[in-house]
Amino acid sequence: MLEGKRVLVTGGTGSFGKVLVRRLLEGDIGLPEEIIVFSRSEATQHTMRLSFQERQVATDEIVYEEMRHERLKFHIGDVNNYSAVSAVLRKADVVFHAAALKQVPTAEYHPFEAVRTNIVGAENIIQAIREHNFPIQAVVGISTDKACKPVNVMGMTKAIQERILAQGAIDCPDTRILLCRYGNVLASRGSVIPVFNQQIRAGGPLTITTPEMTRFLLSLDDAVDIVFAALKDGHSGETWIPRVPAAKMTDIAAAMIGDRPIETKITGIRPGEKIHEVLVSEEEASRTYDRGDFLVIEPILPELRLENPPGERFNEREYSSGTELLDPEGARELLARHSLLPDQGAVVA
């Protein structure tokens, strides 16, 4: 799908962005002619550039030799700057929009910064395509479970981002605009796995906000798989959601502690935090279809809906992390499968 294309990744220096860029360079769905990483941090771009250039694994040599020949490029800019967005979109055929202010407490203390990045950033992409008539073939917006029935600023702004991108499918009919919504990514920057690892190295305790808390869990490569699947088979305005396991945070903590004499400490829910996450709400369930490994929510705008959507209608009331939980052993096996237990040298992406 991406063979010979020019691909833009906004927020490309983040945890998801780096794995996405690696998969793009490996040619999973065709080797792009050019991959542009767009972000506002010169330091993280420099670090990412060095990390890709200095790969020493034999099987990666060909891939990263290609990168040295300028297949991978970096562009400094902020998604809330319309001029910067317009300038970089001129160079793109396909856009993966991953730029976000994503930390829940940060957004609570700096709500307007979340508005500028998560809402204005998405509007700038749509406005630039519409006003300049850029021949962008597809835009894939990266969303979060917190956008569903949002109770915090991060979720509220991402929910509006979803609506802006979906409405953009009407304004930009020649561009296929898709959304991917998923839950907590294991070992991503700022997530619970690296926090637990730091606390274990310090001798504890492991801090848990509430014993009832549950979360959907998937790997960064799983997240990229969702995005590629949506790009391959999605229709404009759809929201793609993975079927992924969920677990109690107490079970994740216990699996990581193992036999160590480390205690856990309940600290109370942080500002804007949910006990359970929801990927499909009760209101969305009536326009959701089961496509095997994925659930697909038809657009809320009737102009964008398919007459006969593929897949079977979703028959559940909602899709929540509070149901069908992994048992404690299942949680431990999930972490072990992704090499995320402390004894396996778990690291933050």
Side-chain angles (χ1 to χ4, degrees):
M1 290 182 290
L2 296 180
E3 188 72 34
K5 306 291 186 186
R6 297 172 301 170
V7 177
L8 169 65
V9 183
T10 73
T13 57
S15 300
F16 170 81
K18 287 187 287 188
V19 174
L20 173 61
V21 168
R22 172 179 60 78
R23 296 278 296 274
L24 292 171
L25 284 169
E26 289 170 354
D28 276 18
I29 53 174
L31 190 61
E33 174 187 324
E34 183 175 85
I35 302 165
I36 306 165
V37 172
F38 180 80
S39 69
R40 60 188 175 187
S41 172
E42 178 185 22
T44 54
Q45 285 194 8
H46 181 64
T47 300
M48 181 175 174
R49 182 186 291 109
L50 290 178
S51 70
F52 274 71
Q53 287 176 338
E54 293 172 0
R55 294 262 181 160
Q56 297 300 318
V57 180
T59 54
D60 289 340
E61 285 178 358
I62 295 175
V63 171
Y64 295 101
E65 184 63 28
E66 292 279 4
M67 190 279 294
R68 292 188 188 98
H69 288 97
E70 298 189 350
R71 190 177 300 275
L72 179 61
K73 297 185 177 179
F74 293 84
H75 190 112
I76 293 286
D78 198 317
V79 291
N80 68 42
N81 183 318
Y82 178 72
S83 296
V85 171
S86 296
V88 77
L89 279 175
R90 294 178 188 276
K91 308 172 184 178
D93 299 310
V94 175
V95 179
F96 295 100
H97 179 44
L101 195 70
K102 69 172 190 173
Q103 297 298 325
V104 169
T106 300
E108 293 298 317
Y109 283 104
H110 305 279
F112 191 63
E113 288 304 312
V115 169
R116 283 158 53 88
T117 299
N118 298 347
I119 296 177
V120 176
E123 175 60 23
N124 283 341
I125 290 174
I126 298 302
Q127 183 181 349
I129 296 172
R130 181 178 63 239
E131 293 189 351
H132 298 287
N133 200 27
F134 290 142
I136 306 293
Q137 296 169 16
V139 174
V140 184
I142 310 304
S143 190
T144 168
D145 50 9
K146 295 166 184 65
C148 186
K149 300 173 70 172
V151 299
N152 51 53
V153 171
M154 198 277 260
M156 293 171 188
T157 54
K158 293 293 281 187
I160 295 175
Q161 179 188 97
E162 288 186 357
R163 298 298 176 85
I164 287 171
L165 292 173
Q167 190 276 331
I170 294 177
D171 283 355
C172 309
D174 295 329
T175 300
R176 195 162 48 107
I177 300 178
L178 305 155
L179 290 155
C180 294
R181 182 196 289 173
Y182 52 79
N184 286 33
V185 175
L186 292 163
S188 63
R189 190 165 57 203
S191 67
V192 70
I193 300 297
V195 171
F196 281 172
N197 268 298
Q198 291 168 2
Q199 293 173 337
I200 288 170
R201 286 195 296 268
L206 268 64
T207 55
I208 299 171
T209 55
T210 178
E212 294 80 24
M213 183 164 290
T214 65
R215 289 293 181 265
F216 290 109
L217 301 169
L218 75 165
S219 71
L220 284 162
D221 276 299
D222 291 336
V224 174
D225 289 341
I226 300 157
V227 170
F228 286 172
L231 183 65
K232 178 177 180 289
D233 294 322
H235 298 273
S236 209
E238 291 180 340
T239 301
W240 281 59
I241 291 162
R243 285 189 172 278
V244 290
K248 294 181 71 172
M249 288 298 97
T250 51
D251 290 339
I252 295 294
M256 296 191 69
I257 291 171
D259 296 329
R260 298 174 181 85
I262 293 177
E263 297 180 349
T264 58
K265 179 182 177 181
I266 304 301
T267 60
I269 293 179
R270 299 177 298 175
E273 201 166 36
K274 285 183 177 181
I275 294 177
H276 306 297
E277 296 287 13
V278 179
L279 278 169
V280 178
S281 70
E282 185 176 357
E283 292 76 17
E284 294 170 323
S286 63
R287 49 188 172 88
T288 299
Y289 291 82
D290 191 335
R291 298 188 193 170
D293 292 334
F294 306 97
L295 299 174
V296 178
I297 304 174
E298 285 288 289
I300 195 169
L301 300 176
E303 298 93 329
L304 294 170
R305 293 183 197 170
L306 298 175
E307 186 172 344
N308 295 298
E312 296 183 3
R313 191 177 288 275
F314 183 59
N315 291 319
E316 303 297 325
R317 185 172 179 179
E318 66 178 18
Y319 185 34
S320 165
S321 65
T323 58
E324 298 184 20
L325 293 168
L326 293 172
D327 60 21
E329 180 59 23
R332 193 199 67 78
E333 289 176 357
L334 174 69
L335 295 177
R337 186 164 64 250
H338 293 290
S339 301
L340 291 174
L341 294 173
D343 293 339
Q344 297 174 299
V347 294
V348 59

